Amino acid sequence: MKPKHLAVLLILIITLGVAQQIQVNADQAREKVVAFEQPGETDDIKPRETVTTSQGQYWVVEILRGGRIITLVPVSADTGSIEFEGEHVKDAIKIHYLANYFTTQKSIVDYLSSTRAYARNKQSAFSDKHSSFTASIEPTIPENVTLTKKAAYLLALTTARDNANKLGEATKTAEGAIATIRSVNDIDSLDGMFDEFFGAYDTFLTSLSSLSTRIVEFNTEINAKSNAGELDAQTATIVSLTIQEQGLTQEIIEKRDDVDANKGSIQTNLFGKLSEQVDEFQINLADRVAGGLQDREIKSIQDRVKNLSANYTTVFNNSLALPQYYIDEKNLEQKANTITQKLQIATEECAKGYAECKQIEPSLTDIETLLAEMQQAISSYSPLECTNGKIERGGRCVCPAGTEEDPQGRCVTPQEQQSTGTQTSTLIIIIIVIIIIIAIVYKFTSGGKKDETPEMESSYFGFDNQ
């Protein structure tokens, strides 16, 4: 495989690896934390980078009040879960707290930046002075004049220049470490780098003190040579002016005080109290999570009560269409009263606090059971199909008030019943009369002919029956 193709493949693998690890972005992490904020608080992520612990990568969200961090909330960049227990949580808080401190509190960053500029200027100034002295001043001193303090001065000047360079490098290293705090190892490295930084500063100030001493010694020697006539006054003056460092003693004092103050601020107050500060954040976080869980649990129970109340209203309204006998038979009214009482008690108790709200959960289960029973009874009801004008009453088909059941099972008024009786009697009489008439007709028609026929035949044919 060509090197170019290999490089592209490696970049792709690395990119995919990062994409697989970070499933939750910074904004999603902040959304997870909103539930744990109190009124008047805000959240943020500065710097907007994940931190790495033994358990993976985390976004650490700051909860702020008035610009001051109240607590830090680690959110898994892989699952989005909020974690508040374990050493890895403490590590995540510690890492981000330091990174946030250096991002938002510019005093240390500015101090390092100004120190690096100061060290660079000192290095340049001492280098220029050493070159100027050896190239321009030293040749003007007569060869017969022996200046025993010159070499010590030049050595001190070179040492101060080199130590200024070391201070500048130590400062630059610390600045770089501050900008890349992502793991516990970075914290340990940064702590060590600050040790090196302050050590380099101490060494540089020590070299300045040595240089100041060597300047005084060299200048004393030059004045002595001038007074003795071994060195002309003009040359002596030029040499003295060249080696002088105006205000160096006061500068050393001020820088020493400045170093001591910043060393106390960084090493004692920041790194020295880091674990204590992180413990406080973790305790606050645990309290927030516990409180947040309770608040969410209370809300969940309250929502459950509201849903049960809405369901009860629907079921109760549906039960109003049922006949009273069926309501009594299924004890629906008693169940409705029980549900109403339990819902009222649940609402009142849940408003008191977490403990009281948790105690009503069994009661909510009872309500669910009663509602299910009511719903089942409503669904199971099947009205009677009454005919002939009858209506359902008490689970039976009966005639409405003001009517009575006739022999055919129909519901009729008394007038209709009487009219129907009369009509029936008349019809019976008519039927009887018709039957009698038919019988008479039959008797005198078909029956009479049957008796006379033999005589007619005998007479007609002239037979003698004897």
Side-chain angles (χ1 to χ4, degrees):
M1 182 178 293
K2 295 181 180 181
K4 182 178 180 181
H5 294 166
L6 179 60
V8 172
L9 180 60
L10 288 174
I11 292 173
L12 179 60
I13 291 173
I14 293 172
T15 303
L16 289 175
V18 172
Q20 289 175 352
Q21 291 176 353
I22 301 178
Q23 304 295 330
V24 178
N25 62 38
D27 292 331
Q28 291 170 332
R30 290 180 63 181
E31 290 174 2
K32 298 280 186 178
V33 175
V34 172
F36 300 101
E37 296 174 19
Q38 296 179 357
E41 294 180 343
T42 58
D43 59 78
D44 203 351
I45 302 178
K46 289 184 180 179
R48 203 176 176 89
E49 300 285 348
T50 59
V51 300
T52 303
T53 72
S54 61
Q55 300 300 314
Q57 291 182 290
Y58 292 84
W59 294 103
V60 182
V61 184
E62 310 115 29
I63 293 182
L64 307 159
R65 183 185 299 132
R68 184 174 67 88
I69 295 178
I70 302 301
T71 190
L72 297 168
V73 186
V75 180
S76 172
D78 181 39
T79 65
S81 62
I82 292 176
E83 300 183 24
F84 60 98
E85 293 180 328
E87 284 300 315
H88 70 287
V89 170
K90 186 174 295 186
D91 288 341
I93 293 175
K94 183 183 296 184
I95 297 163
H96 185 80
Y97 174 68
L98 271 183
N100 175 270
Y101 185 90
F102 292 124
T103 299
T104 59
Q105 307 297 321
K106 295 296 185 180
S107 58
I108 294 178
V109 175
D110 292 343
Y111 172 64
L112 290 174
S113 179
S114 62
T115 299
R116 181 161 54 85
Y118 169 71
R120 185 174 60 248
N121 291 337
K122 283 298 183 180
Q123 177 190 359
S124 178
F126 293 155
S127 180
D128 290 344
K129 180 164 286 193
H130 189 280
S131 298
S132 177
F133 185 87
T134 56
S136 302
I137 303 302
E138 194 169 16
T140 65
I141 300 173
E143 292 183 0
N144 60 340
V145 176
T146 301
L147 297 174
T148 60
K149 302 300 182 180
K150 180 184 67 173
Y153 162 72
L154 290 175
L155 178 60
L157 190 61
T158 302
T159 301
R161 178 199 64 193
D162 293 342
N163 287 339
N165 179 59
K166 291 178 181 178
L167 174 59
E169 291 299 318
T171 305
K172 184 178 180 180
T173 301
E175 287 178 308
I178 282 175
T180 57
I181 300 175
R182 300 291 180 269
S183 69
V184 174
N185 290 337
D186 294 335
I187 296 177
D188 295 337
S189 297
L190 181 59
D191 195 6
M193 289 174 191
F194 271 110
D195 287 340
E196 293 177 6
F197 166 75
F198 286 115
Y201 216 145
D202 286 336
T203 300
F204 173 68
L205 292 179
T206 299
S207 66
L208 282 188
S209 297
S210 178
L211 176 61
S212 178
T213 300
R214 299 298 173 259
I215 290 172
V216 171
E217 291 175 349
F218 191 18
N219 194 53
T220 299
E221 184 180 30
I222 290 171
N223 289 333
K225 294 293 184 180
S226 176
N227 292 335
E230 296 180 27
L231 190 65
D232 64 87
Q234 183 178 0
T235 301
T237 299
I238 293 173
V239 173
S240 294
L241 290 175
T242 301
I243 68 174
Q244 285 299 327
E245 291 287 342
Q246 296 295 328
L248 183 58
T249 301
Q250 183 62 32
E251 178 184 327
I252 293 171
I253 294 172
E254 291 176 356
K255 290 298 181 183
R256 180 68 68 185
D257 291 342
D258 193 35
V259 168
D260 290 342
N262 281 283
K263 184 185 292 185
S265 176
I266 296 173
Q267 292 187 317
T268 303
N269 295 332
L270 183 58
F271 285 96
K273 296 181 180 179
L274 182 59
S275 294
E276 179 181 341
Q277 180 65 73
V278 169
D279 287 342
E280 180 181 340
F281 285 147
Q282 192 173 22
I283 291 172
N284 291 342
L285 173 60
D287 290 343
R288 285 296 178 93
V289 171
L293 291 175
Q294 288 183 359
D295 291 341
R296 288 200 298 275
E297 199 164 355
I298 289 175
K299 186 178 183 305
S300 176
I301 296 174
Q302 289 175 330
D303 289 343
R304 187 179 172 190
V305 172
K306 290 179 182 178
N307 290 334
L308 287 174
S309 180
N311 291 340
Y312 167 68
T313 299
T314 301
V315 171
F316 179 76
N317 289 337
N318 291 338
S319 71
L320 296 178
L322 298 174
Q324 187 61 45
Y325 87 90
Y326 190 77
I327 292 176
D328 295 338
E329 180 184 314
K330 298 297 182 178
N331 295 322
L332 296 183
E333 188 171 351
Q334 180 181 353
K335 291 177 180 179
N337 291 335
T338 302
I339 291 174
T340 301
Q341 293 174 359
K342 287 182 177 291
L343 283 174
Q344 182 177 355
I345 293 173
T347 302
E348 294 173 353
E349 289 299 304
C350 216
K352 295 178 181 179
Y354 176 74
E356 292 82 358
C357 198
K358 284 290 291 181
Q359 290 179 352
I360 69 169
E361 287 188 297
S363 179
L364 300 186
T365 302
D366 293 341
I367 293 174
E368 290 172 342
T369 301
L370 290 171
L371 279 175
E373 292 175 356
M374 288 186 68
Q375 185 61 52
Q376 177 62 31
I378 293 172
S379 301
S380 300
Y381 172 70
S382 179
L384 293 175
E385 296 182 2
C386 298
T387 58
N388 295 329
K390 295 180 181 179
I391 61 173
E392 180 184 359
R393 182 177 298 162
R396 297 171 54 246
C397 290
V398 298
C399 288
T403 66
E404 56 187 33
E405 187 174 355
D406 67 4
Q408 287 73 38
R410 297 172 300 177
C411 295
V412 295
T413 62
Q415 293 80 2
E416 292 173 332
Q417 176 74 0
Q418 183 177 2
S419 173
T420 301
T422 302
Q423 292 175 354
T424 301
S425 299
T426 303
L427 180 60
I428 293 173
I429 293 172
I430 293 173
I431 292 173
I432 293 173
V433 170
I434 291 173
I435 292 173
I436 294 173
I437 293 173
I438 292 173
I440 294 172
V441 171
Y442 179 79
K443 175 71 176 174
F444 290 100
T445 56
S446 299
K449 288 180 180 180
K450 184 177 182 181
D451 293 338
E452 294 175 354
T453 299
E455 294 181 1
M456 289 177 63
E457 291 178 349
S458 176
S459 175
Y460 180 76
F461 287 104
F463 293 148
D464 186 1
N465 292 330
Q466 297 180 355

